[in-house]
Amino acid sequence: MESYSIAVFLIVLLSSLMNLSSAEFPTPATVKTWVDKMQEDLVTLARTASGVDQLGAVFLKNRDSYTVEMNNAQQLVESAAWNIEKLLLNRSMALETLATAAENFQMEHQWKNEFGENETMYYNAKDNLDSDSNETGRIKPEFVEDPSFKRRINYNYTAVHIPTDIYEGSTIVLNELNWTAALEDVFKKNRDEDPTLLWQVFGSATGLARYYPASPWMDSSKTPNKIDLYDVRRRPWYIQGAASPKDMLILVDVSGSVSGLTLRLIRTSVSEMLETLSDDDYVNVVSFNNDAKNVSCFTHLVQANVRNKKVLKDAVHEILAKGITDYKKGFSFAFEQLSNFNVSRANCNKIIMLFTDGGEERAQEIFEKYNPEKKVRVFTFSVGQHNYDKGPIQWMACANKGHYYEIPSIGAIRINTQEYLDVLGRPMVLADKRAKQVQWTNVYLDALELGLVITGTLPVFNKTKELKSNEKGAVPRQNQLILGVMAIDVSLEDIKRLTPRFTIGPNGYYFAIDPNGYVLLHPNLQPKNPKFQEPVTLDFLDAELENDVKVEIRRKMIDGEKGEIKINTLVKSQDERYIDKGVRTYTWTPVNGTDYSLALVLPSYSAYYIKAKIEDTITQARLSETLQLDHFEEYGYTSIAPREYCKDLKLSSNKTQFLLEFIDFIDRKSPNHPSCNVTLVNRLLLDAGFSNELVQYWKKQSPQGVLARFVATDGGITRIYPKSAGEDWTEDAETYEASFYKRSLDNPFYIFTAPYFNNSEIGVSGFDSGIMVSRAVEITVDGKLLKPAVVGVKINVTTWMENFTKATMRTDCTSEICDCEKNNKYVDCVILDDGGFLLMSNQDEYISQIGRFFGEIDPSFMRNLIEVPLYSFNKSYDYQSVCDPERDTKAAAGLRSVFVPTIADILNIGWWASAAAWSILQQLFLSLTFPNFLEAADIEEEIAALSKKSCITEQTQYFFSNNVKSFDGVLDCGNCSRIYHAEKLANTNLVFLIVDSKVTCLACDSKPLIQAEQPSEGPNPCELAQNPRHRKGPEVCFDNDDNEDDSDCGGVSGLSPSLWSMIGIQLVLLWLLTGSRHYPS
């Protein structure tokens, strides 16, 4: 009874306190009065100090200095598409010339079994040019730096790259070096006809790559002792050009007999097999023993993109060996999955890849049931060191138009998991001219550091005849081998030049997508990882904030349609902290002759643009005078956007240096010089003059609390006054890339931008640099809306805080909690921007956190503001990020999984023709010629573990949910609560909040709400696979030909070499692979 009375007393007391607090808390009317006063003061200050009206008047006053031109979206996008089509057509013609020449050279080549000492001369791109050694058969070119390639080049020679695991002295390689040397003259002729050509490459099916012009091979990390793992056959362009798309089912034997080393080899082999697939392919991995099941959450074939392949690799790494082998169960499951046509798939080559250690069963009745017409090829891989009969699994491959391979050791994996492409290439070779279609790849990073490129590819066929024995004797037969793939790169920078940017405004842009929906042009295509091994696959719907209309736009573009639509959309800011609501018109058209589609996106205020009319040199000279550095005190600190004003004017990231070089160039050669873009230069000079008039207005004022005033223009001028403020200016000199500029254009009010909190990159921390306030200049000329510039101020935080607390004081209040007195113990008063970042407070401890996301300062209150909802949010993923690696600690390190052959293996001469033998010879050769090879590989793994890796990050942006101006409520934290009121400041992106102090209710959730980018697993790939995005596969498929000869399907024969010599080799290998190496514990 006593405890009950105490409980009632506490409830009554708490209720009384809450009523007291409620009675003394400022009323909504009072808060609105404060906010109206603050808003009036801030907006008046920003408007008068920035001179937004004055600059608009300057533009209108000088109406005769420019014309207003129209951006016809349909004409612009069609013109750009035609220019891209013409560029790629020229590259395609060069490709066809090269492919034809290569086939002729190979036909004319006389095979040789032996070569003289200097009979095959070439430049090996991996040669050490600083060495004094005179290696026979080698060329040592002299290189000079080339601006087009951004590296050292020699146009007189080609370079040859040979993978590390291929012996360059082999007869096959020497013959290929011999006949491909003739391509050098064709490469040169192509460049003579088109000097803008970049890399021309022939990638051979043997792994050899010959490219022009010659340039030293160097990996992007410049790491000492780095093992070169580049193999042209694993590049995206080669995979796409060498075979039609694939539906691949990888079948993994996980019976008890594959445990230990064999299981590890299978895991690695499957991972390597997955790397031979591109985004045009579909794949799944199934494990089987006495039952069969999917190794991952994927229940059907999925697109072989980076994320799906990672899921499969991770799942394969977890498989365990147990049970018995039942090939019937495994193949039945595989065929059933391949016959599922109710899901997205490549719908071309259908393949089953079997990885097993062998068995006695052929599962013949399964193949007769599911594959009577041999529409599905079966490739089998005998993995590990064992004595099982290989006949049954070899039969499976031979009976189903596939091939049989052996993987006895780690050294055989890379070679044998990619040679299946030769088999898939047979129908293409037999199709001949029908298969001679130039294909253009997805965007990827060039291995020779050219940056983002697309590549045109054309297969090169072996046109020779070979004698084939049958019952009538030896008869000539068309060779079925693909010699390789010819390729020519096109830099995305070259394509961007065909999509003019500086008339469509900062928020207008072009983008292009391929049949997978991946962008090859888009302002948000900015991969942060320079590793060329990883493809760059950014979907259009991930490059922008997705909505249903954009999904439809993407579908129509992939399907090759034309169209135009105006939509309301969310737009992420350049600095990725904010989201704005904008109106955009999307106009798109296909790029004929390719599978690409090009689009132009324009906001309504970019329908027109200004074109300067100041072509007389006297006026130009007068305007350029205002840019001189020695006039900064008078005209303000000035920078110009780093644009290609003149071809002979080199761009520079140093703002002062670039301005000096621009002025010098204009003074020497005049803005009308033939190498200059007169429209671009004159617009810059026009804006220099107009902005100078604004500075003269600024000089007449001395507004209190203003640290700086600035103007940034569409023409590329940025002026900051006074000069001292400009020296600390950290915004991008390219106005088209400045976040404040782009946001100001999209919003018809004053934009307050929070400074970066604890950002060491910008050199100025937090609020010390002031609070930026900006607004776009709007003018209407002949009924045409233009936004040619953005003006603004930086206001002093201390001065603002004094005015802030004064505006929120109540003279008629005697209570402690009725206003926003500085450091009030009972009330927190804050101003947030539309992104939820703190801009002002009555608390000193908050002032030091200006620029910080409020969800990290007062998490529970911010969550409540989202629920009200004052704020909405959008979570987005960045698939182009890099993250610090999660380094695994190693309890111990031991010998690598190397293969030492048994005496039985060595006694079988057929074994010497197998991949296992070549793998051992590689290990022997590399260990003798490069004693530190294996140690270097260890170093490589260590370095890779420490380097940043590609990853997915997620970030949440917040924005005002609606146009409601006032919000109030109670934040209930269980045993305490906090009253609050929120009021938006009109004509700004700010909201004022008054709330019971955080310290008065410590029971609230204190877990921070994170807005910043952070590592993420991304969307669930298993769920995404159930609803794949629309894509379009190639229109032609070469997966079958009635004339195909599939008799070459793998296998060996046996002879007996000398016993004692083989024992000697066995002992040498054992000593070599187990001795002279030291491993860390």
Side-chain angles (χ1 to χ4, degrees):
M1 186 67 181
E2 184 178 345
S3 60
Y4 174 76
S5 300
I6 294 173
V8 171
F9 171 76
L10 289 174
I11 292 172
V12 172
L13 177 62
L14 180 61
S15 177
S16 300
L17 289 173
M18 288 180 63
N19 291 333
L20 178 64
S21 174
S22 177
E24 296 172 341
F25 199 84
T27 64
T30 300
V31 173
K32 189 175 188 313
T33 301
W34 296 345
V35 169
D36 288 345
K37 181 67 169 65
M38 281 189 287
Q39 185 268 345
E40 182 182 357
D41 291 345
L42 287 171
V43 168
T44 300
L45 176 66
R47 185 179 66 251
T48 57
S50 67
V52 60
D53 298 330
Q54 284 69 25
L55 184 57
V58 169
F59 271 93
L60 294 174
K61 179 183 70 175
N62 296 282
R63 178 68 183 80
D64 58 344
S65 298
Y66 60 88
T67 60
V68 177
E69 306 293 332
M70 180 181 180
N71 279 319
N72 186 311
Q74 194 67 48
Q75 289 181 5
L76 286 172
V77 75
E78 288 181 356
S79 174
W82 185 83
N83 287 329
I84 294 172
E85 176 191 348
K86 187 167 63 171
L87 171 70
L88 300 186
L89 179 60
N90 290 339
R91 301 298 187 266
S92 297
M93 292 171 63
L95 265 177
E96 291 166 1
T97 300
L98 282 168
T100 301
E103 291 170 349
N104 291 335
F105 293 149
Q106 195 271 341
M107 276 198 298
E108 296 166 1
H109 172 69
Q110 297 297 315
W111 179 270
K112 292 184 178 182
N113 291 317
E114 294 183 1
F115 286 84
E117 193 171 89
N118 289 310
E119 191 173 350
T120 302
M121 299 290 293
Y122 67 101
Y123 164 58
N124 188 319
K126 293 188 282 187
D127 280 349
N128 183 357
L129 297 174
D130 298 326
S131 172
D132 294 330
S133 63
N134 293 315
E135 196 170 346
T136 59
R138 295 296 174 83
I139 298 171
K140 283 194 171 183
E142 296 290 332
F143 296 101
V144 294
E145 197 71 25
D146 187 276
S148 297
F149 289 89
K150 303 172 186 173
R151 60 171 25 236
R152 294 183 298 157
I153 292 296
N154 185 302
Y155 286 103
N156 295 320
Y157 298 99
T158 57
V160 172
H161 177 278
I162 301 173
T164 302
D165 54 358
I166 291 179
Y167 175 45
E168 61 184 292
S170 71
T171 303
I172 293 176
V173 171
L174 289 174
N175 274 277
E176 198 148 82
L177 286 169
N178 192 285
W179 74 258
T180 58
L183 288 171
E184 193 166 282
D185 290 335
V186 188
F187 287 143
K188 291 177 182 177
K189 185 179 178 183
N190 275 347
R191 184 178 182 275
D192 289 341
E193 294 175 356
D194 184 357
T196 65
L197 280 179
L198 297 174
W199 298 120
Q200 303 176 66
V201 188
F202 172 63
S204 165
T206 64
L208 177 148
R210 187 181 285 272
Y211 60 90
Y212 177 86
S215 184
W217 189 263
M218 187 183 297
D219 74 278
S220 56
S221 69
K222 314 292 191 300
T223 307
N225 297 322
K226 183 176 177 69
I227 302 302
D228 173 34
L229 297 178
Y230 180 90
D231 189 319
V232 70
R233 295 167 295 183
R234 288 178 175 264
R235 299 299 287 141
W237 58 267
Y238 186 95
I239 293 171
Q240 179 172 309
S244 293
K246 303 170 281 294
D247 286 322
M248 179 184 291
L249 196 293
I250 301 176
L251 193 57
V252 181
D253 181 357
V254 292
S255 60
S257 62
V258 301
S259 59
L261 174 62
T262 301
L263 182 58
R264 293 204 298 275
L265 289 174
I266 286 179
R267 287 170 176 162
T268 305
S269 298
V270 172
S271 293
E272 288 293 323
M273 179 62 73
L274 289 168
E275 287 307 306
T276 68
L277 302 176
S278 72
D279 289 74
D280 289 334
D281 303 317
Y282 279 72
V283 66
N284 199 8
V285 181
V286 169
S287 65
F288 75 99
N289 39 37
N290 49 318
D291 198 6
K293 63 179 181 179
N294 300 298
V295 299
S296 70
C297 58
F298 300 143
T299 58
H300 52 73
L301 296 175
V302 295
Q303 188 179 16
N305 58 39
V306 174
R307 294 186 289 281
N308 287 342
K309 287 192 288 189
K310 183 180 185 300
V311 170
L312 292 171
K313 287 179 186 178
D314 291 345
V316 168
H317 185 72
E318 299 297 324
I319 60 175
L320 300 174
K322 60 182 179 180
I324 59 173
T325 305
D326 188 339
Y327 287 126
K328 294 178 182 178
K329 284 282 180 66
F331 277 106
S332 295
F333 194 94
F335 278 115
E336 289 287 348
Q337 199 160 121
L338 279 175
S339 63
N340 181 6
F341 289 93
N342 293 324
V343 296
S344 296
R345 49 188 295 168
N347 290 319
C348 194
N349 285 293
K350 291 176 278 296
I351 311 167
I352 294 176
M353 297 287 186
L354 171 67
F355 290 88
T356 181
D357 60 347
E360 303 298 325
E361 185 183 20
R362 289 190 174 191
Q364 186 168 349
E365 62 270 36
I366 301 299
F367 296 114
E368 292 173 352
K369 175 183 177 182
Y370 288 99
N371 202 32
E373 298 179 2
K374 301 182 181 180
K375 297 293 186 183
V376 178
R377 296 181 188 267
V378 177
F379 294 84
T380 57
F381 298 81
S382 176
V383 185
Q385 308 163 37
H386 49 75
N387 295 316
Y388 299 131
D389 180 10
K390 298 166 184 175
I393 61 172
Q394 182 180 339
W395 175 90
M396 294 175 186
C398 294
N400 293 278
K401 300 177 72 172
H403 202 282
Y404 163 77
Y405 303 96
E406 294 178 9
I407 302 179
S409 70
I410 193 114
I413 291 176
R414 278 176 63 86
I415 295 174
N416 286 332
T417 53
Q418 64 194 17
E419 290 196 341
Y420 77 93
L421 290 172
D422 291 343
V423 177
L424 297 189
R426 291 173 186 167
M428 290 179 64
V429 177
L430 294 172
D432 196 16
K433 292 182 179 180
R434 289 187 297 114
K436 287 287 188 176
Q437 300 182 22
V438 174
Q439 296 187 70
W440 290 96
T441 66
N442 304 330
V443 62
Y444 68 97
L445 281 163
D446 174 53
L448 288 173
E449 302 170 328
L450 195 60
L452 292 175
V453 297
I454 58 172
T455 298
T457 65
L458 202 59
V460 179
F461 301 147
N462 189 331
K463 293 297 188 71
T464 62
K465 303 286 185 180
E466 60 181 355
L467 294 177
K468 184 69 176 177
S469 299
N470 59 21
E471 62 275 5
K472 297 180 181 179
V475 295
R477 186 202 69 168
Q478 171 62 50
N479 198 301
Q480 298 183 148
L481 290 177
I482 183 170
L483 292 176
V485 177
M486 200 66 73
I488 290 183
D489 286 348
V490 176
S491 168
L492 289 196
E493 290 302 318
D494 289 340
I495 297 179
K496 286 179 182 178
R497 292 188 186 99
L498 303 177
T499 55
R501 181 184 186 191
F502 296 112
T503 62
I504 59 176
N507 287 326
Y509 58 93
Y510 288 88
F511 73 89
I513 65 174
D514 65 21
N516 284 305
Y518 300 147
V519 296
L520 57 143
L521 281 182
H522 197 285
N524 293 332
L525 179 63
Q526 299 175 354
K528 303 178 182 71
N529 190 353
K531 292 183 178 179
F532 68 81
Q533 296 91 340
E534 300 181 8
V536 180
T537 51
L538 178 66
D539 196 283
F540 165 62
L541 297 178
D542 296 321
E544 303 197 358
L545 299 180
E546 180 179 348
N547 61 33
D548 292 341
V549 182
K550 290 182 183 178
V551 171
E552 186 64 14
I553 291 172
R554 179 183 178 276
R555 185 191 66 77
K556 290 181 176 180
M557 290 181 69
I558 289 174
D559 291 343
E561 299 179 20
K562 291 184 178 182
E564 182 175 271
I565 190 171
K566 179 183 285 189
I567 66 172
N568 294 306
T569 183
L570 297 178
V571 181
K572 192 187 299 185
S573 67
Q574 183 79 16
D575 61 8
E576 300 189 338
R577 294 194 295 168
Y578 299 95
I579 282 182
D580 294 305
K581 298 172 183 178
V583 178
R584 299 289 189 267
T585 298
Y586 284 71
T587 309
W588 62 92
T589 191
V591 179
N592 294 328
T594 74
D595 289 326
Y596 300 139
S597 184
L598 181 70
L600 172 61
V601 182
L602 282 179
S604 57
Y605 49 79
S606 290
Y608 301 93
Y609 67 96
I610 286 175
K611 184 177 181 181
K613 294 193 304 181
I614 48 169
E615 297 177 1
D616 62 287
T617 54
I618 296 176
T619 304
Q620 291 170 337
R622 176 175 57 81
L623 296 176
S624 65
E625 182 71 17
T626 68
L627 301 176
Q628 297 286 348
L629 270 67
D630 54 3
H631 291 167
F632 278 8
E633 291 288 352
E634 181 181 358
Y635 301 135
Y637 186 95
T638 306
S639 63
I640 63 174
R643 301 175 185 174
E644 197 173 287
Y645 300 104
C646 304
K647 292 181 180 177
D648 300 331
L649 180 63
K650 186 177 180 181
L651 296 178
S652 172
S653 58
N654 185 314
K655 292 187 284 189
T656 303
Q657 182 66 29
F658 184 62
L659 178 60
L660 285 171
E661 291 178 359
F662 173 82
I663 294 171
D664 178 67
F665 187 94
I666 295 301
D667 288 346
R668 286 187 295 107
K669 297 188 177 182
S670 92
N672 303 319
H673 191 270
S675 70
C676 293
N677 183 329
V678 178
T679 300
L680 212 57
V681 174
N682 283 338
R683 177 63 201 275
L684 179 79
L685 295 176
L686 180 78
D687 286 359
F690 289 177
S691 59
N692 177 48
E693 290 192 42
L694 178 63
V695 174
Q696 304 315 308
Y697 165 78
W698 289 342
K699 290 166 67 175
K700 298 174 184 177
Q701 296 180 313
S702 297
Q704 184 182 8
V706 174
L707 298 175
R709 285 167 282 180
F710 61 88
V711 56
T713 74
D714 193 59
I717 291 287
T718 299
R719 291 194 193 271
I720 305 100
Y721 188 84
K723 173 189 172 184
S724 57
E727 291 170 346
D728 296 327
W729 187 258
T730 58
E731 301 297 328
D732 201 315
E734 175 50 80
T735 54
Y736 275 44
E737 302 293 338
S739 187
F740 80 89
Y741 192 99
K742 300 175 77 168
R743 290 204 71 207
S744 298
L745 294 177
D746 265 335
N747 293 286
F749 43 73
Y750 289 91
I751 294 292
F752 286 69
T753 302
Y756 287 92
F757 178 73
N758 287 343
N759 191 334
S760 59
E761 294 180 6
I762 63 172
V764 181
S765 61
F767 64 87
D768 293 337
S769 59
I771 304 293
M772 175 184 282
V773 189
S774 59
R775 179 155 187 175
V777 174
E778 292 188 19
I779 60 173
T780 302
V781 178
D782 299 331
K784 300 165 186 174
L785 174 66
L786 296 162
K787 295 187 178 182
V790 169
V791 297
V793 299
K794 281 203 168 185
I795 58 179
N796 183 285
V797 170
T798 303
T799 304
W800 187 12
M801 184 178 185
E802 292 173 359
N803 295 333
F804 171 76
T805 52
K806 287 178 183 177
T808 56
M809 295 284 286
R810 285 171 55 189
T811 56
D812 60 339
C813 179
T814 58
S815 170
E816 295 175 314
I817 62 170
C818 56
D819 59 29
C820 295
E821 181 185 2
K822 186 175 181 180
N823 294 321
N824 191 316
K825 296 179 181 179
Y826 303 98
V827 175
D828 292 338
C829 298
V830 297
I831 290 181
L832 307 182
D833 67 14
D834 56 332
F837 294 96
L838 178 67
L839 287 180
M840 183 48 59
S841 175
N842 66 326
Q843 305 292 343
D844 280 337
E845 67 167 304
Y846 283 7
I847 291 294
S848 63
Q849 300 182 73
I850 282 180
R852 192 175 190 180
F853 180 61
F854 195 60
E856 298 178 51
I857 299 171
D858 195 340
S860 58
F861 187 30
M862 187 66 194
R863 288 188 175 91
N864 188 272
L865 296 177
I866 297 168
E867 293 171 2
V868 172
L870 170 58
Y871 285 99
S872 291
F873 66 90
N874 184 87
K875 180 183 290 187
S876 58
Y877 297 97
D878 185 351
Y879 298 97
Q880 307 172 88
S881 291
V882 291
C883 301
D884 292 322
E886 295 179 5
R887 185 167 182 177
D888 296 328
T889 56
K890 298 180 180 179
L895 284 171
R896 293 174 177 274
S897 299
V898 293
F899 172 46
V900 178
T902 64
I903 300 298
D905 287 328
I906 295 175
L907 287 175
N908 187 333
I909 195 65
W911 175 82
W912 288 92
S914 70
W918 174 231
S919 174
I920 292 302
L921 290 175
Q922 286 175 32
Q923 295 170 18
L924 176 61
F925 172 74
L926 290 170
S927 298
L928 291 175
T929 54
F930 306 105
N932 296 323
F933 181 87
L934 293 176
E935 281 83 354
D938 284 338
I939 294 171
E940 166 68 10
E941 287 184 355
E942 294 294 313
I943 293 171
L946 293 172
S947 62
K948 288 186 177 292
K949 298 183 178 180
S950 293
C951 66
I952 301 173
T953 55
E954 68 177 49
Q955 187 172 17
T956 306
Q957 289 89 8
Y958 295 81
F959 56 98
F960 289 150
S961 295
N962 48 51
N963 295 323
V964 176
K965 302 296 182 184
S966 301
F967 297 84
D968 51 46
V970 176
L971 172 60
D972 187 0
C973 296
N975 58 358
C976 61
S977 60
R978 298 166 64 192
I979 301 173
Y980 69 87
H981 185 86
E983 190 78 28
K984 291 179 183 175
L985 279 69
N987 209 21
T988 74
N989 63 324
L990 303 179
V991 61
F992 169 78
L993 300 159
I994 181 170
V995 59
D996 286 332
S997 174
K998 184 169 64 172
V999 298
T1000 64
C1001 186
L1002 298 177
C1004 294
D1005 184 4
S1006 60
K1007 182 182 177 181
L1009 190 62
I1010 305 299
Q1011 183 274 339
E1013 192 174 53
Q1014 53 189 329
S1016 170
E1017 293 296 321
N1020 188 330
C1022 307
E1023 295 176 2
L1024 294 179
Q1026 298 303 317
N1027 296 287
R1029 288 169 171 167
H1030 176 68
R1031 64 177 297 276
K1032 184 176 70 174
E1035 295 179 357
V1036 293
C1037 170
F1038 301 98
D1039 63 340
N1040 185 54
D1041 193 292
D1042 294 338
N1043 297 318
E1044 179 183 343
D1045 180 1
D1046 56 12
S1047 59
D1048 179 12
C1049 57
V1052 297
S1053 59
L1055 293 173
S1056 298
S1058 166
L1059 172 64
W1060 292 108
S1061 62
M1062 296 303 101
I1063 292 175
I1065 292 175
Q1066 171 84 358
L1067 293 174
V1068 169
L1069 288 171
L1070 282 169
W1071 171 81
L1072 179 67
L1073 296 173
T1074 58
S1076 70
R1077 290 204 63 194
H1078 302 281
Y1079 294 87
S1081 59

